[in-house]
Structure formats: structure tokens, C-alpha cells
Amino acid sequence: MVEDFHVHPAYIGALAAGVRHYWATHGSGEILLMSFHGLPKRAVQRGDPYERQCQATAQRLAQALELDADRYRVTFQSRFGPARWLEPYTEATLRALAREGVRRVDVLCPGFVADCLETLEEIGIGARAVFLQCGGKEFHLLPCLNESPEWIEALAQIALEHPARPV
């Protein structure tokens, strides 16, 4: 069982390769927004390491991409119910960026290894609409790792480093 791999060099390398490939084809935006799935704040207050892990992934990816702190943001998506969730919220950040004059934003969901309803619909459609309605001009949703060769190789490496435990 692999409990986490949020800073594994092969995982970070696969993420960075995907971003570089996208940028080589489509150019890069002013900001790389890394949107992670949200979590109620009370879970973190009770000791859940998730927020710290997300920040560590983002920091390592930014280092791999040689991004200065002003070129990327870390946000959280998919909140519901009355509880306070991890902040900053993705949609609120996109509104603010557009209003500040950011013309193009690139959005990556590094916590999702495969595109799904949350990346394609919530971010690719809903968050895109928010950014454009607030004055942004270009919204690029970068694909998740999916079946990229770099991710398959990283997944194999991670799995081989975590041998099966006796049941």
C-alpha cells in the first residue's frame, strides 16, 4: 500500500514534464494556478496532513519548473456545506486574478492523477466561466497526468518502492 507520494521525485517529475509539454505547445500563462481538492479546515486542525502535503507538492513543482513565487498560486476547490474549507478558494482566486488584470491563467490540478468530473467540469467549465466573466482573456486547463508515459513510469517506480505488506 502506498500511503502518499506527494513529494516523490518521480511524481513531481511527471507533473513538471506535463506542464513543460503543454507550455511548449501552447505557451505559458502569467500565473500557474495549482488547484487541489478542498478539505474542511477542522480536519487539518485535528491533525490531517493534507494541506501541508498540497503545499509541499506545489513548492516542489514550482522549483522543478523554476517558477518564482509570483508566478504560481495554490488554491482549493470542491467545497460544500456550511463548514469552513481550506483557503484560498479556487474560484475566488480566479475572480481576483482577473480583476487584477491577469489576462491568461494556466490551471493544473496536481492532486488528481486522472481527469475526472471535478477537473473537466468544475474547473474546465465552471472555473473557466468565472475567470472569463471577471475580465480574464485566456483560461487554460492543463491535463492531469492520465496515461502519460512519465506518469506510468513514475507510478511503477513508486509501486516498486512500496513492497506488499503481509495481510
Side-chain angles (χ1 to χ4, degrees):
M1 181 171 131
V2 177
E3 292 185 20
D4 64 62
F5 54 88
H6 64 283
V7 292
H8 192 286
Y11 172 63
I12 299 299
L15 288 170
V19 172
R20 284 189 199 104
H21 175 71
Y22 189 90
W23 285 349
T25 305
H26 304 281
S28 64
E30 298 159 68
I31 300 288
L32 176 64
L33 191 141
M34 299 181 215
S35 181
F36 292 86
H37 191 284
L39 187 72
K41 284 187 175 186
R42 72 177 171 272
V44 173
Q45 292 165 345
R46 292 178 179 163
D48 192 301
Y50 179 74
E51 181 180 25
R52 186 172 22 88
Q53 291 172 335
C54 293
Q55 294 291 347
T57 297
Q59 182 181 23
R60 298 273 176 99
L61 179 56
Q63 288 171 345
L65 295 171
E66 299 179 352
L67 294 178
D68 293 330
D70 63 338
R71 287 273 329 273
Y72 74 95
R73 303 283 189 287
V74 176
T75 63
F76 297 92
Q77 66 194 61
S78 306
R79 66 185 198 274
F80 56 89
R84 297 278 307 200
W85 286 59
L86 294 177
E87 296 178 61
Y89 299 137
T90 298
E91 285 194 6
T93 300
L94 288 168
R95 279 187 192 94
L97 289 171
R99 290 178 180 146
E100 291 167 12
V102 171
R103 296 179 54 80
R104 175 178 165 174
V105 67
D106 295 339
V107 180
L108 178 70
C109 299
F112 294 86
V113 295
D115 282 305
C116 61
L117 196 58
E118 285 188 53
T119 62
L120 299 173
E121 193 280 329
E122 182 177 358
I123 301 300
I125 296 172
R128 174 189 311 272
V130 165
F131 182 70
L132 297 176
Q133 288 167 359
C134 290
K137 301 301 178 203
E138 290 185 57
F139 181 102
H140 290 248
L141 175 60
L142 282 65
C144 290
L145 294 169
N146 297 313
E147 77 284 0
S148 70
E150 295 86 358
W151 170 232
I152 300 304
E153 187 176 313
L155 185 58
Q157 183 178 344
I158 292 165
L160 289 171
E161 291 174 8
H162 293 83
R165 296 181 192 166
V167 179

